[in-house]
């Protein structure tokens, strides 16, 4: 399963958090403010990623989606259900 955040974003946000941690001794308040900003950005990106993934999953099986009027076969529904389960388990395990 693909990561919820792309590698470039994860690396950039990780560097920002590391910078916040490294600056604590010299400027504790600024470090905490920077860490809060990083968490805010992670939250925004995760929510956007989850919304995109959920929309793509729904499009494939709900009426009016890519499946059209022909319906979706059981195998496609099984794979979609598995993806829902995997994403949900990942979120619950953090």
């Amino acid at each position: 399963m693909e990561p919820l955040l792309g590698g470039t974003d994860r690396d950039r946000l990780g560097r920002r958090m590391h910078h916040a941690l490294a600056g604590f001794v010299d400027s504790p308040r600024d470090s905490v403010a920077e860490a809060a900003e990083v968490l805010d950005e992670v939250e925004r990106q995760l929510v956007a990623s989850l919304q995109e993934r959920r929309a793509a999953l729904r499009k494939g099986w709900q009426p009016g989606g890519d499946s059209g009027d022909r319906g979706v076969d059981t195998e496609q529904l099984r794979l979609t259900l598995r993806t829902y389960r995997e994403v949900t388990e990942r979120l619950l395990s953090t």
Side-chain angles (χ1 to χ4, degrees):
M1 169 165 285
E2 69 183 64
L4 293 173
L5 292 181
T8 303
D9 288 330
R10 281 194 322 269
D11 292 345
R12 181 179 55 79
L13 292 165
R15 285 191 303 274
R16 283 187 60 199
M17 183 57 75
H18 178 75
H19 182 264
L21 295 170
F24 183 79
V25 172
D26 295 329
S27 186
R29 186 171 303 277
D30 290 342
S31 291
V32 171
E34 185 174 359
E37 289 173 11
V38 172
L39 181 58
D40 288 345
E41 186 172 345
V42 168
E43 176 187 12
R44 283 190 302 274
Q45 289 188 16
L46 283 173
V47 167
S49 176
L50 286 169
Q51 288 171 335
E52 289 172 12
R53 188 165 294 183
R54 183 181 59 210
L57 285 168
R58 285 183 177 170
K59 185 185 259 189
W61 69 271
Q62 285 187 328
D66 286 344
S67 63
D69 293 332
R70 69 184 189 288
V72 180
D73 68 16
T74 303
E75 178 61 13
Q76 182 60 43
L77 291 171
R78 185 188 71 77
L79 294 172
T80 300
L81 180 59
R82 184 183 73 187
T83 303
Y84 275 122
R85 183 196 74 215
E86 290 171 351
V87 171
T88 301
E89 287 176 348
R90 285 176 60 193
L91 291 170
L92 292 174
S93 70
T94 58

